[in-house]
């Protein structure tokens, strides 16, 4: 007879049911073994040593990196283990900037929590306080190395889940630290601002860049008219800060809280998400009819957009030209509400509340400004909103519910589900389905909730068979696009969200260890959709009104669309490849960015150097290299005395050099 | 702008080709690069990461982990002073202080402004019988004193002046 495999943990017999390591088994036995560096969706690192257990006949071993085997006898609570755990926490504290009262992470900090859990009442080791300077260069994220406990969670999430790899360990031993390449700031490197590192950081070493003070200043300024837009994913997560279960909708209290804080109008980003559905739906139908620039990628996720600009410049024409709902809201409100109120753009302050750190970066992109004034002035994360509600002295769960202001607060269910992976596709499909099969009415239920990875589906629409992919997590997106590039996969529409599960799991959301939290929030958004009167964006009466009265096609193009450009990964200067002393007759500059490199820049360089030597031009030539001239689609790129040659070949280059010399 | 990097750029390309652009051979590639430049310039590390298709922070992490790699340009002559146990008890510290004073080096910079000398300390050269040991440009000098070490450096300096720094 089949015998169940078991491990004995603290005298309890625990069956092995596919657990990958002892830690999972210990936790299944309801023993809370604390860890800093273990995350079930990332590789096992085994650095923090907090999960050490005693294995009979095997000594003291880390539970996270030990696979369970039948008959193991494990103890988790011996004097030796308790002493070890305490000592580890004490050592961490001795190395940690312990200014907890002024730390933004206070109350949410794992080190604080575990120190309390372990009953640490003093640190026996001398405090090692090295002066480390916080990195303020990014629009979205602040990195404070004095708080870092070197657990490597951020390194792995950035590399494994997002495939960006901005952060890594540098130096060794006591000098080891987590930094971006060449110790540069996060704002100067390839960071896409998704904030997943912020989400996994157990301490206050990575936090969103707060704009709380700026928003209070605007609210206290009588000259300013301050409006706020709230993203869908915020309403199903904010409650977690005030004791509600993940996936509880607290829209009503949130609106009342914002009014009591002093906002003049409370609007909904789901309104502009409806607008996005229509613009993006039309764009998709047009491309599908012409068979041009397919697959169409969604463009509402600013982390994904920066990712594409850096790594997939050749795919940029495939991105939808639609601005994200946050930016559509900003441009529409700054254009029309200023008119209605007869005030200048400067007087109207647009604040948005987002589940996302990358939205802070997006709002700062220069193309989203007019007359030097930003479309969206400040972006707060869900986290920051919770802090402001507390600071205002409001008892959140006792607040009377309120409702959004009209017209920019009215939305359909299509706009609400934008906050979940699969939601944007669902919303666009609802719109497209009605357009293509007139009179059939609204169809729903195209997509399913997903918490990461790639989901594909085929939809029959009219005479068209559409292939869709819904992807969240940038490493999954990279794998998918690489397949498309080599022609292995073909799709018509691809929804990309940088965070696994979509905005509900964004970098600005409440930090939770509950595994079902993300799915719970997503499900609640879809439930919200079910409770609304309209489920398809084109049914939104205020959107119709906007198109009828104000948004001419030209205006729509001007306010609701944007352009993308290649973006270099790292800020750096040109490199000289030859002696540069003196003024040379022939100035050559070659691009050695990733894209040009793949298109044969190295070979071109080698052959041109040969040409220069053979023709005795060495003393007359200055050869420099740039790391990305941001013309990646047209690579390899060579400049001859300032003249740019795109798609440069050896023959073209030599031709131009001869012209330049005569 | 890092001057003169490119004068060896052909070499850089051939090193990458030699290791078939294989990211698993990163350490060997960096070793060869350092051989060419005597240090690892930032641009070269960026270029290596582009060429190997790995993140620049990974390259930076490896380059800063091993003490063999240096990210600062080294002087023409590298002085390695052994500060292992045997050399230490035979007063290698005195030699260290003497060289520092003679060359005007500080805690922060271990290379002279004229880029002639770089001073490094190493843990153990395995020549404990000759302690204290100084290695200048891969030549081992044993049983050193502060005075004999300075005399060696003076010698090199004189030669440099005669050759006009070439």
């Amino acid at each position: 007879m089949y015998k169940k495999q078991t491990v004995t943990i603290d005298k309890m017999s625990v069956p092995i049911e596919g657990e990958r390591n002892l830690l999972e088994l210990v936790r299944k036995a309801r023993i809370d073994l604390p860890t800093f560096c273990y995350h079930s969706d990332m590789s096992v690192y085994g650095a923090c040593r907090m999960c050490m257990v005693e294995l009979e006949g095997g000594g003291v071993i880390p539970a996270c990196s030990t696979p369970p085997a039948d008959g193991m006898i494990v103890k988790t609570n011996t004097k030796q283990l308790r002493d070890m755990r305490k000592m580890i926490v004490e050592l961490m504290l001795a190395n940690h900037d312990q200014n907890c009262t002024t730390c933004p992470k206070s109350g949410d900090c794992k080190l604080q929590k575990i120190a309390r859990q372990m009953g640490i009442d003093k640190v026996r080791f001398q405090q090692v306080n090295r002066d480390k300077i916080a990195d303020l260069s990014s629009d979205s994220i602040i990195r404070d190395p004095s708080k870092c406990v070197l657990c490597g969670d951020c390194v792995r999430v950035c590399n494994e889940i997002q495939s960006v790899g901005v952060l890594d360990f540098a130096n060794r031993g006591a000098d080891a630290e987590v930094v971006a390449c060449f110790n540069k700031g996060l704002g100067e490197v390839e960071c896409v601002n998704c904030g997943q590192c912020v989400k996994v950081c157990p301490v206050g070493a990575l936090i969103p860049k707060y704009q709380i003070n700026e928003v209070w200043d605007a609210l206290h300024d009588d000259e300013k008219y301050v409006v706020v837009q709230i993203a869908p994913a915020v309403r199903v997560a904010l409650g977690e800060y005030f004791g509600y279960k993940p996936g509880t909708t607290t829209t009503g209290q949130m609106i009342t809280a914002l009014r009591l804080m002093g906002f003049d109008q409370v609007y909904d980003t789901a309104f502009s998400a409806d607008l996005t559905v229509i613009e993006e739906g039309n764009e998709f139908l047009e491309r599908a009819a012409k068979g041009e620039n397919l697959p169409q990628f969604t463009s509402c996720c600013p982390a994904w957009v920066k990712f594409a600009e850096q790594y997939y410049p050749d795919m940029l024409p495939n991105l939808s030209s639609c601005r994200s709902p946050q930016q559509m809201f900003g441009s529409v409100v700054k254009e029309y509400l200023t008119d209605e109120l007869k005030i200048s753009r400067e007087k109207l302050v647009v604040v948005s509340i987002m589940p996302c750190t990358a939205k802070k970066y997006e709002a700062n992109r220069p193309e989203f400004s007019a007359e030097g004034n930003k479309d969206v002035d400040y972006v707060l994360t869900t986290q920051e909103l919770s802090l402001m509600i507390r600071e205002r002295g409001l008892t959140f769960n006792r607040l009377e519910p309120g409702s959004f202001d009209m017209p920019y607060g009215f939305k359909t269910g299509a706009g609400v589900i934008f906050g979940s992976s699969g939601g944007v596709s669902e919303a666009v499909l609802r719109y497209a389905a009605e357009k293509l099969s007139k009179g059939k009415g609204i169809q729903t239920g195209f997509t399913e909730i997903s918490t990461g990875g790639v989901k594909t589906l085929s939809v029959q629409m009219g005479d068209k068979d559409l292939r869709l992919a819904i992807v969240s997590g940038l490493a999954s997106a990279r794998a998918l696009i690489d397949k498309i590039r080599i022609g292995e996969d073909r799709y018509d529409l691809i929804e990309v969200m940088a965070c696994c599960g979509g905005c509900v799991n964004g970098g600005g959301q409440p930090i939770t260890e509950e595994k079902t939290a993300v799915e719970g929030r997503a499900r609640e958004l879809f439930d919200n959709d079910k409770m609304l009167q309209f489920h398809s964006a084109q049914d939104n009466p205020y959107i119709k009104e906007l198109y009828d009265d104000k948004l001419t096609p030209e205006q729509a193009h001007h306010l609701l669309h944007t352009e993308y450009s290649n973006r270099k990964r790292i800020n750096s200067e040109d490199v000289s490849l030859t002696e540069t002393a003196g003024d040379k007759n022939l100035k050559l500059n070659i691009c050695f960015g990733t894209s040009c490199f793949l298109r044969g820049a190295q070979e071109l360089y080698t052959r041109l150097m040969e040409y220069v030597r053979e023709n005795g031009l060495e003393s007359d030539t200055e050869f420099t290299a740039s790391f990305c001239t941001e013309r990646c689609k047209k690579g390899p790129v060579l400049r001859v005395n300032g003249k740019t040659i795109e798609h440069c070949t050896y023959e073209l280059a030599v031709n131009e050099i001869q012209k330049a010399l005569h | 702008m890092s001057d003169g990097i490119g004068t060896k750029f052909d070499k850089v390309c051939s090193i990458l080709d030699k290791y078939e652009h294989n990211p698993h051979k990163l350490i060997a590639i960096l070793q060869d690069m350092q051989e060419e430049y005597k240090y690892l310039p930032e641009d070269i590390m960026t270029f290596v990461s582009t060429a190997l298709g790995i993140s620049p922070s990974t390259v930076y992490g490896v380059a800063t982990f091993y003490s063999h790699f240096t990210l600062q340009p080294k002087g023409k002559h590298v002085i390695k002073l052994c500060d292992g146990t045997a050399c230490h008890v035979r007063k290698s510290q005195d030699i260290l202080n003497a060289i520092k004073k003679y060359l005007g080096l500080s805690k922060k910079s271990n290379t002279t402004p004229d880029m002639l000398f770089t001073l490094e300390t190493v843990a153990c050269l395995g020549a404990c019988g000759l302690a204290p040991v100084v290695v200048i440009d891969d030549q081992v000098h044993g049983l050193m004193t502060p005075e004999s070490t300075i005399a060696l450096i003076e010698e090199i300096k004189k030669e440099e002046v005669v050759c006009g720094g070439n």
Side-chain angles (χ1 to χ4, degrees), chain A residues 461-513:
Chain A
M461 251 182 217
D463 56 346
K464 278 199 161 62
D465 194 17
L466 299 176
R467 293 259 306 144
L468 272 87
I470 294 157
V471 54
S472 62
L474 290 172
S476 307
R478 190 189 285 275
L480 181 77
I481 300 170
D482 287 344
K483 272 191 195 163
I484 294 169
R485 258 188 175 169
I486 56 170
E488 209 173 276
D489 271 342
R490 191 196 63 80
Y491 296 99
D492 299 296
L493 183 64
I494 300 176
E495 175 198 300
V496 189
M497 293 195 187
C499 302
C500 292
C503 313
V504 284
N505 191 28
Q509 290 283 66
I511 291 165
T512 168
E513 279 173 39

Side-chain angles (χ1 to χ4, degrees), chain A residues 165 171-172 576-577 580 605 613, chain B residues 3 6-7 10 55 57 64-65:
Chain A
N171 302 315
R172 188 166 49 157
S576 44
L577 303 176
T580 46
Y605 160 77
R613 275 185 214 119
Chain B
D3 247 3
T7 46
D10 302 351
S55 143
S57 60
T64 55
F65 183 87

Side-chain angles (χ1 to χ4, degrees), chain A residues 19-51:
Chain A
E19 283 81 9
R20 291 168 300 170
N21 52 57
L22 273 180
L23 181 63
E24 286 184 1
L25 216 59
V26 170
R27 287 187 172 163
K28 193 170 75 171
R30 305 247 167 89
I31 295 168
D32 181 17
L33 215 49
T35 50
F36 285 104
C37 72
Y38 183 75
H39 288 271
S40 54
D41 45 1
M42 292 195 273
S43 66
V44 172
Y45 188 50
C48 77
R49 309 317 263 184
M50 290 295 290
C51 68

Side-chain angles (χ1 to χ4, degrees), chain A residues 88-367:
Chain A
I88 291 167
V89 176
E90 280 180 74
L91 285 166
M92 275 184 177
L93 287 171
N95 219 343
H96 181 82
D97 170 10
Q98 290 182 57
N99 289 319
C100 291
T101 46
T102 51
C103 177
K105 199 62 176 263
S106 187
D108 235 350
C109 170
K110 225 174 182 176
L111 184 57
Q112 217 175 35
K113 192 187 131 223
I114 291 178
R116 205 158 43 214
Q117 191 185 344
M118 295 289 114
I120 308 285
D121 46 15
K122 69 165 193 280
V123 176
R124 288 168 290 170
F125 308 104
Q126 196 192 337
Q127 189 73 28
V128 186
N129 272 338
R130 292 201 200 89
D131 289 330
K132 288 180 180 167
I133 301 156
D135 166 21
L136 307 174
S137 63
S138 158
D139 290 336
S140 303
I141 296 164
I142 293 179
R143 199 178 61 82
D144 184 353
S146 64
K147 302 265 168 63
C148 180
V149 294
L150 301 175
C151 65
D153 292 356
C154 52
V155 173
R156 280 173 297 139
V157 81
C158 192
N159 193 20
E160 294 172 15
I161 309 286
Q162 302 297 52
S163 73
V164 179
V166 171
L167 294 167
D168 209 332
F169 288 98
N171 302 315
R172 188 166 49 157
D175 297 326
E177 54 181 343
V178 171
V179 293
C181 60
F182 316 122
N183 225 341
K184 284 181 192 281
L186 286 178
E188 304 165 305
V189 293
E190 68 265 52
C191 172
V192 296
N193 306 299
C194 69
Q196 289 300 299
C197 54
V198 172
K199 279 203 59 186
V200 295
C201 180
V203 290
L206 287 157
I207 49 164
K209 195 177 219 177
Y210 287 174
Q211 288 191 310
I212 294 176
N213 292 334
E214 289 86 337
V215 172
W216 280 127
D217 285 349
L219 289 169
H220 292 320
D221 187 342
D222 294 335
E223 296 278 290
K224 299 272 163 76
Y225 191 85
V226 189
V227 304
V228 61
Q229 53 163 324
I230 309 166
V234 176
R235 68 203 63 188
V236 292
L238 179 69
E240 291 166 44
Y241 285 110
F242 303 99
Y244 292 91
K245 285 204 327 278
T248 310
T249 305
T250 53
T251 321
Q253 288 104 306
M254 183 172 65
I255 293 166
T256 306
L258 289 164
R259 280 197 216 292
L260 289 170
M261 279 155 59
F263 285 99
D264 293 298
Q265 298 286 323
V266 182
Y267 294 135
D268 199 342
T269 312
F271 169 86
S272 49
D274 277 344
L275 208 52
T276 312
V277 173
I278 292 176
E279 289 296 318
E280 197 163 328
N282 286 339
E283 191 181 17
F284 176 61
L285 291 173
E286 207 174 291
R287 288 191 193 182
K290 286 189 198 160
E292 256 176 21
N293 289 337
L294 292 173
Q296 175 171 315
F297 289 96
T298 59
S299 60
C300 14
C301 173
W304 150 242
V305 168
K306 187 166 186 252
F307 184 83
E309 287 179 324
Q310 286 172 179
Y311 301 107
Y312 294 100
D314 53 317
M315 288 282 179
L316 291 181
N318 293 53
L319 254 68
S320 161
S321 68
C322 291
R323 296 182 184 190
S324 73
Q326 162 174 281
Q327 294 308 138
M328 282 197 182
F329 183 93
S331 55
V332 163
V333 167
K334 284 250 167 143
E335 180 80 16
Y336 299 126
L337 196 62
T338 46
D339 247 17
E340 248 171 69
L341 298 169
K342 305 214 163 21
I343 54 171
S344 67
R345 280 179 70 97
E346 283 73 27
K347 290 262 164 74
L348 179 70
V349 177
V350 177
V351 176
S352 63
I353 298 170
M354 294 282 144
C356 178
T357 45
K359 288 283 171 191
K360 289 173 182 276
Y361 159 82
E362 183 183 47
N364 283 346
R365 286 179 68 125
E367 60 268 34

Side-chain angles (χ1 to χ4, degrees), chain B residues 40-100:
Chain B
L40 291 174
E42 196 177 301
D43 310 310
I44 290 301
M45 288 191 276
T46 310
F47 184 69
V48 167
S49 86
T50 306
L52 301 183
I54 54 179
S55 143
S57 60
T58 306
V59 178
Y60 181 68
V62 170
T64 55
F65 183 87
Y66 295 102
S67 51
H68 170 73
F69 294 125
T70 169
L71 274 57
Q72 299 299 326
K74 278 192 194 176
K76 192 174 167 194
H77 305 282
V78 179
I79 307 166
K80 287 182 189 156
L81 173 69
C82 181
D83 197 23
T85 316
C87 291
H88 190 83
V89 296
R90 304 204 59 171
K91 306 225 164 95
S92 59
Q93 276 297 319
D94 292 352
I95 303 179
L96 183 74
N97 294 336
I99 303 175
K100 271 189 180 170

